[in-house]
Each structure stands twice: as C-alpha cells, then as structure tokens.
C-alpha cells in the first residue's frame, strides 16, 4: 500500500513519455531514452502503489521492444484503443478489432483510391502493407516493425487490429471525408496520429474507452484516473481523465481541450510534472 494505491496514470508514448520526433526528423531508428526526471518520478509513483500504463497508437509489434525498459506495471492500451494488452502475460485482455465486414468497405475505398498506401495490422504481430510509399518506409524505419507487401486486400485474413493510411495530409483528408460520407462510415473511428498517419479502428476503439476498461480491470475509480498525451488521438482519454494534461510540445488541438494543464516539454520531464501534481493531490 502507498499514497498512490488505486491511482492510474496513463501516458501516450511518442512525444509524451519519450521524444521520438527528433529521431524521426534525423532519420534515426534510435530514439532517446526517457529523461531522468521521468524515470525518477515514475519509480517514485509506482513504488508508492500507483499503476502506470502506456496508451499508444502503436500496435504490439511496433511497441513491444520498448516495454522491458519502461516502468510499466499495468496492461497497456495499444493501437489507439483497439486492444488492452498485458505484455507480461503476452495476451489481450480486451479487444475491439476490425471484423470481416471491413473487407467490403475497403474494396469500396480502393475503388475510389486505387493506389491508397496503408499498413494492415494483424492480431498475431504480422503487418502487411499495400502500395508502400515513403511514409510507410519511414514509419517502418522508425518502429523497426517490418511489413510484408500484399498485392490485393483479398489476401488479408481477419480479424485486424487497425488500418494505418500513410500519405500527404491533403490525400488523407480526402480519404477521411470519403469514409465519413459512406453509409458504413459510422462503423469506424478515424483519427490522425500525425499529419501523415490516419488510423482506422472499429467504432468504440479509442484511447478514452480503453482507459476506462483498464481502470475497471484494475479496480480504479474514474476519479483516480489521470491521462497525458500530445496529439489528436489523445483527446478521447483526456476527456475521461480526472485532471487533463499535455506536454508543452502538444499540438494546438490538444492544448485547446477544456481544463487542460500544459506541463513541460516531453524531453524535459512532462510526466515528472504530472507526478509532482499528483503528489500534492494525494
């Protein structure tokens, strides 16, 4: 038992816990470790009973290699809420996957955008890619999660964790608008995790929904759930957080969330700032 018993802190990974943008801009696959302030603060938080979890847009194969070096002591939200995954037991606890109905919808999408580049994430860590482009190559370079190209979506088996469309922002906007205009568009969540990445998951597969499921799994009350993130895909979990946080490097959309508290740049200890605030709260 400790002062943070039954308190859950959920943090985005990229550019919230660890500053990965600098590595991507430099063309490096080596992302820096989390800053010493964050490490010290999270050690203090977890040793005093707190639960710390990552809530990431990355799927399991793109995140698993970082897990051994992180002070995680709870299952993690992956793929923007498509799954709640226990890395210690190597199993899903909750899922919200794309089912076979998605096949026909992707066929309609590819009829309108026949050269659409996207990654296809399977539940067993496979990643397929259609029409690979430079954005897919850059993403694969950063995550070190290799993709296997397929010629036809008919080759793909279900269920799927998510689809990740990767292109120039104006082209992704056209894809986003097209899906929303379809009668079946409401069956999906579409969220930008960067200007060149548009994620598609099943309806209800959001970070916010899965944070609440994680809290229920751990026996944590919503009033003791705290979340921090930097991008559009983090808004949903900010809205279910007892206090809302974003790092100073967050995009304007995140900074505009009502009640948001802007803490340090992620490279300077944003998570440590949150732990300091919680230390005074409990």
């Amino acid at each position: 038992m400790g002062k943070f018993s039954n308190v859950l802190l959920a943090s985005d990974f990229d550019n919230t816990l660890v500053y990965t943008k600098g590595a991507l801009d430099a063309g490096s696959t080596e992302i820096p470790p989390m800053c010493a302030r964050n490490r010290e603060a999270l050690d203090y938080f977890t040793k005093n009973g707190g639960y710390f979890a990552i809530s990431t847009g990355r799927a399991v194969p793109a995140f698993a290699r970082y897990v051994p070096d992180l002070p995680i002591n709870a299952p993690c939200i992956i793929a923007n809420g498509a799954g709640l995954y226990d890395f210690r037991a190597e199993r899903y606890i909750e899922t919200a996957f794309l089912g076979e109905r998605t096949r026909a919808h992707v066929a309609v999408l590819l009829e309108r955008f026949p050269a659409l580049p996207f990654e296809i994430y399977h539940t067993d860590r496979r990643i397929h890619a259609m029409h690979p482009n430079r954005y897919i190559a850059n993403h694969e370079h950063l995550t070190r999660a290799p993709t296997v190209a397929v010629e036809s979506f008919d080759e793909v088996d279900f269920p799927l964790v998510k689809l990740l469309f990767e292109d120039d922002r104006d082209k992704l906007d056209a894809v986003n608008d097209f899906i929303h205009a379809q009668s079946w568009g409401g069956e999906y969540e579409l969220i930008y995790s960067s200007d060149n990445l548009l994620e598609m998951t099943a309806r209800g597969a959001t970070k916010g929904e899965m944070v609440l499921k994680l809290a229920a799994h751990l026996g944590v009350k919503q009033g003791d759930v705290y979340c921090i993130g930097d991008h559009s895909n983090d808004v949903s979990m900010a809205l279910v957080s007892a206090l809302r946080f974003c790092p100073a490097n967050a995009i304007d959309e995140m900074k505009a969330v009502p009640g948001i508290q802007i803490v340090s740049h992620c490279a300077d200890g944003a998570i440590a700032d949150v732990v300091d605030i919680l230390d005074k709260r409990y």
Side-chain angles (χ1 to χ4, degrees):
M1 297 293 289
K3 70 184 300 183
F4 299 123
S5 293
N6 294 316
V7 175
L8 170 63
L9 174 56
S11 172
D12 177 46
F13 181 67
D14 293 277
N15 304 311
T16 300
L17 180 65
V18 176
Y19 190 53
T20 57
K21 183 178 185 298
L24 180 61
D25 290 346
S28 173
T29 61
E30 295 300 325
I31 68 170
M34 79 170 82
C35 72
R37 282 193 69 221
N38 281 347
R39 172 71 65 177
E40 182 179 349
L42 287 171
D43 286 345
Y44 170 72
F45 178 76
T46 55
K47 285 177 181 176
N48 281 278
Y51 291 116
F52 178 63
I54 294 295
S55 179
T56 181
R58 294 182 185 232
V60 170
F63 181 63
R65 72 187 184 97
Y66 301 107
V67 170
D69 296 324
L70 298 176
I72 298 165
N73 62 355
C76 293
I77 292 126
I78 56 93
N80 288 322
L84 181 61
Y85 193 80
D86 186 335
F87 281 93
R88 288 175 293 189
E90 295 190 349
R91 68 181 182 91
Y92 285 100
I93 294 170
E94 296 275 356
T95 61
F97 293 153
L98 297 168
E100 182 68 37
R101 281 176 56 83
T102 301
R103 189 184 302 280
H105 301 157
V106 171
V108 173
L109 186 61
L110 287 172
E111 185 176 350
R112 172 63 180 82
F113 303 97
L116 180 64
F118 61 102
E119 293 181 47
I120 303 155
Y121 286 80
H122 294 268
T123 63
D124 57 1
R125 303 198 182 196
R126 287 175 297 147
I127 309 172
H128 284 127
M130 287 198 66
H131 312 124
N133 64 356
R134 63 188 178 94
Y135 292 115
I136 289 178
N138 287 343
H139 191 248
E140 184 176 0
H141 182 68
L142 175 66
T143 63
R144 294 188 188 178
T147 65
V148 176
V150 290
E151 295 296 323
S152 169
F153 196 70
D154 289 338
E155 300 176 42
V156 174
D157 55 291
F158 283 80
L160 300 174
V161 176
K162 69 174 182 177
L163 301 181
L164 178 58
F165 307 114
E166 299 170 74
D167 214 330
D168 297 331
R169 180 59 184 252
D170 61 333
K171 294 177 181 177
L172 294 182
D173 286 343
V175 170
N176 191 13
D177 291 344
F178 179 82
I179 294 174
H180 279 300
Q182 306 308 304
S183 59
W184 42 262
E187 297 183 29
Y188 302 101
E189 303 284 349
L190 289 158
I191 193 74
Y192 290 95
S193 52
S194 82
D195 278 345
N196 306 114
L197 303 177
L198 177 62
E199 316 251 357
M200 187 174 99
T201 55
R203 170 60 69 185
T206 67
K207 288 188 178 186
E209 288 294 326
M210 202 56 84
V211 162
L212 294 179
K213 290 181 180 180
L214 172 58
H217 173 75
L218 297 171
V220 173
K221 297 177 182 177
Q222 188 173 349
D224 295 311
V225 173
Y226 302 93
C227 304
I228 180 171
D230 73 296
H231 216 278
S232 301
N233 56 338
D234 299 308
V235 171
S236 64
M237 69 173 181
L239 295 178
V240 303
S241 182
L243 296 176
R244 301 167 180 178
F245 300 101
C246 73
N249 54 284
I251 65 169
D252 290 343
E253 180 184 355
M254 194 69 194
K255 291 178 179 178
V257 171
I260 201 79
Q261 296 187 52
I262 302 172
V263 293
S264 296
H265 188 288
C266 73
D268 297 326
I271 306 300
D273 286 355
V274 173
V275 173
D276 285 345
I277 292 167
L278 298 183
D279 199 27
K280 295 178 178 66
R281 187 175 175 87
Y282 285 91

